[in-house]
Amino acid sequence: MNRRLTAIVERDGDGYVALCPEMDVASQGDSVTEARSNLEEALTLFFETASPEEIERRTRTEFYVTHVEVAVG
């Protein structure tokens, strides 16, 4: 069974950090592609090893990724 999850990737110094907000799992890499791939691996390992209770406890079903506009200066 496949599960579609969100990946948020941002630059962090010389590398990138990837976060899955639904599961609160993160990883990193030297490029966007590597960070995303490492996040996929971390999520796969999480689902392979976590108990159903752990998965349920960590799953966030309501979060929002959006933009805001604010005046600057």
Side-chain angles (χ1 to χ4, degrees):
M1 174 177 101
N2 287 342
R3 187 168 180 179
R4 181 179 288 262
L5 298 165
T6 304
I8 300 170
V9 182
E10 65 179 325
R11 180 175 282 284
D12 185 24
D14 292 336
Y16 294 86
V17 173
L19 169 68
C20 173
E22 288 99 332
M23 303 310 302
D24 195 26
V25 171
S27 193
Q28 62 185 15
D30 291 331
S31 67
V32 171
T33 302
E34 183 179 4
R36 184 179 184 273
S37 177
N38 289 344
L39 179 62
E40 289 175 7
E41 182 179 356
L43 286 163
T44 297
L45 292 171
F46 171 73
F47 283 114
E48 287 176 355
T49 59
S51 67
E53 296 80 19
E54 173 79 2
I55 293 170
E56 183 177 338
R57 182 180 66 77
R58 291 187 56 170
T59 300
R60 288 158 177 70
T61 58
E62 190 169 336
F63 69 94
Y64 305 94
V65 177
T66 186
H67 291 99
V68 296
E69 187 172 326
V70 298
V72 178

